[in-house]
């Protein structure tokens, strides 16, 4: 366990709520900036949070994004209730997407979401149960 | 290249950030898919996009994009402009197509992510306009 959490905040994310999509991530960014996290690290965390949040909005019924900051790391813990991902290995491939035309019109569904999260994380774990939901554990070292 | 030069070159209408037109962008990125922007754009870049919904501004905020040019004569709704105001992100709009807008900026000396990166990797100066 890499240090006690000094800050925790949870954000509720609703599926299909396009008007508010991204609000949690911009709040995460503001918080990290205020705490004094270096800008490049803030950007990595914000991008990972945004992709994770959009995944909930686009594909799940509802979800929670939890930000934890300790002296050692930033943790983004995201879990949702939704259809889940049948083949995670496939979903992790750049360019693979099951997005509908509607999602693509929103500017998403390029098949870059999960790869983007992995790229910006120091540690990334994903678990999914079909018919139940998906859980992401994203860690960025400070 | 300053935002005011970009405004002039692309004959843009300024939707937000009149007072920020002296600010500089270091590179350009043209995309309608926001995940591509999140994957490839560097901080301080100019985003050219045909996506006019609120996610374009959220993406710009998250990825430290300096300013947005909406292409093909598309303009965002009021909510999107309000969010850009709140986040301090200048918005411009041009009637030019994506290809034409990118081409004109490239011809004027603005470069894309790859070339900027290659120049940096090679230890050279970043290839942006010195005009």
């Amino acid at each position: 366990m890499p240090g006690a959490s000094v800050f925790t905040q949870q954000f509720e994310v609703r599926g299909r709520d396009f008007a508010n999509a991204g609000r949690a991530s911009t709040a995460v960014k503001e918080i990290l900036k205020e705490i004094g996290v270096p800008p490049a690290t803030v950007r990595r965390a914000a991008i990972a949070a945004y992709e994770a949040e959009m995944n909930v909005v686009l594909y799940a019924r509802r979800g929670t994004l939890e930000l934890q900051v300790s002296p050692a790391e930033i943790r983004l813990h995201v879990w949702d209730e939704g259809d889940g991902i049948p083949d995670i290995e496939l979903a992790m491939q750049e360019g693979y997407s099951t997005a509908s035309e509607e999602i693509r019109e929103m500017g998403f569904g390029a098949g870059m979401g999960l790869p983007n999260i992995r790229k910006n994380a120091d540690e990334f774990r994903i678990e999914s149960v079909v018919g139940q939901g998906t859980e992401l554990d994203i860690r960025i070292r400070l | 290249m300053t935002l005011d030069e970009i405004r002039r070159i692309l004959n843009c209408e300024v939707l937000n950030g009149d007072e920020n037109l002296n600010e500089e962008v270091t590179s350009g990125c043209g995309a309608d898919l926001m995940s591509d922007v999140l994957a490839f754009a560097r901080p301080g870049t100019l985003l050219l996009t045909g996506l006019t919904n609120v996610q374009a501004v959220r993406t710009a905020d998250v990825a430290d994009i300096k300013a947005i040019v909406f292409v093909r004569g598309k303009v965002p709704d009021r909510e999107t402009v309000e969010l850009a105001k709140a986040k301090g992100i200048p918005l411009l709009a041009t009637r030019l197509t994506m290809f034409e807008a990118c081409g004109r900026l490239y011809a004027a000396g603005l470069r894309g992510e790859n070339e900027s990166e290659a120049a940096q990797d090679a230890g050279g100066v970043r290839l942006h306009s010195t005009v």
Side-chain angles (χ1 to χ4, degrees):
Chain A
M1 172 105 188
S5 214
V6 293
F7 183 90
T8 301
Q9 188 159 339
Q10 283 193 356
F11 303 89
E12 296 306 315
V13 182
R14 287 198 303 266
R16 320 299 292 177
D17 183 4
F18 297 122
N20 290 305
R23 271 185 193 229
S25 309
T26 41
V28 164
K29 185 173 188 182
E30 290 301 318
I31 291 166
L32 294 177
K33 261 203 291 200
E34 252 174 59
I35 294 175
V37 174
T41 309
V42 171
R43 186 171 185 267
R44 285 170 62 203
I47 290 174
Y50 187 48
E51 290 283 16
E53 182 181 0
M54 289 310 297
N55 275 349
V56 175
V57 174
L58 298 172
Y59 299 108
R61 282 188 298 282
R62 59 168 298 285
T64 305
L65 186 154
E66 185 179 72
L67 169 69
Q68 291 178 11
V69 186
S70 73
E73 65 178 11
I74 299 163
R75 181 185 187 214
L76 295 161
H77 185 203
V78 186
W79 61 96
D80 70 45
E81 294 166 18
D83 294 338
I85 303 169
D87 188 337
I88 289 176
E89 205 179 316
L90 198 55
M92 289 300 301
Q93 285 179 19
E94 288 188 9
Y96 177 81
S97 175
T98 59
S100 65
E101 196 53 39
E102 185 197 10
I103 290 173
R104 289 175 201 270
E105 279 169 13
M106 297 278 307
F108 287 86
M112 295 298 291
L114 291 175
N116 269 356
I117 293 172
R118 182 170 54 190
K119 195 176 99 181
N120 284 290
D122 289 309
E123 278 177 57
F124 175 49
R125 189 174 58 77
I126 174 167
E127 278 170 25
S128 190
V129 179
V130 174
Q132 289 186 26
T134 302
E135 183 180 351
L136 306 181
D137 187 356
I138 302 158
R139 290 166 193 258
I140 296 167
R141 279 191 289 277
L142 287 172
Chain B
M1 186 179 284
T2 67
L3 294 178
D4 197 47
E5 287 174 273
I6 289 160
R7 180 193 59 76
R8 192 169 38 78
I9 292 164
L10 303 181
N11 198 14
C12 288
E13 185 188 341
V14 180
L15 306 174
N16 181 49
D18 257 323
E19 66 285 4
N20 304 105
L21 294 181
N22 57 344
E23 289 181 12
E24 293 223 4
V25 295
T26 49
S27 58
C29 167
D32 287 350
L33 288 172
M34 294 302 105
S35 276
D36 282 344
V37 176
L38 294 169
F40 300 113
R42 296 166 71 93
T45 202
L46 174 75
L47 171 64
L48 296 101
T49 185
L51 188 81
T52 53
N53 68 30
V54 73
Q55 299 311 327
V57 174
R58 291 241 181 253
T59 300
D61 181 41
V62 162
D64 296 335
I65 300 285
K66 190 79 184 185
I68 303 175
V69 174
F70 296 109
V71 297
R72 306 193 283 269
K74 296 166 88 175
V75 286
D77 57 21
R78 209 179 60 188
E79 190 197 355
T80 303
V81 176
E82 288 303 317
L83 181 64
K85 275 191 185 138
K87 296 293 178 186
I89 298 168
L91 301 181
L92 293 85
T94 178
R95 301 195 69 80
L96 299 174
T97 62
M98 177 75 95
F99 182 84
E100 187 66 29
C102 291
R104 287 192 192 186
L105 292 181
Y106 193 95
L110 191 69
R111 290 295 178 261
E113 302 301 324
N114 293 340
E115 286 191 50
S116 303
E117 204 168 348
Q120 267 198 330
D121 291 347
V125 291
R126 293 198 67 171
L127 294 174
H128 60 75
S129 172
T130 52
V131 179

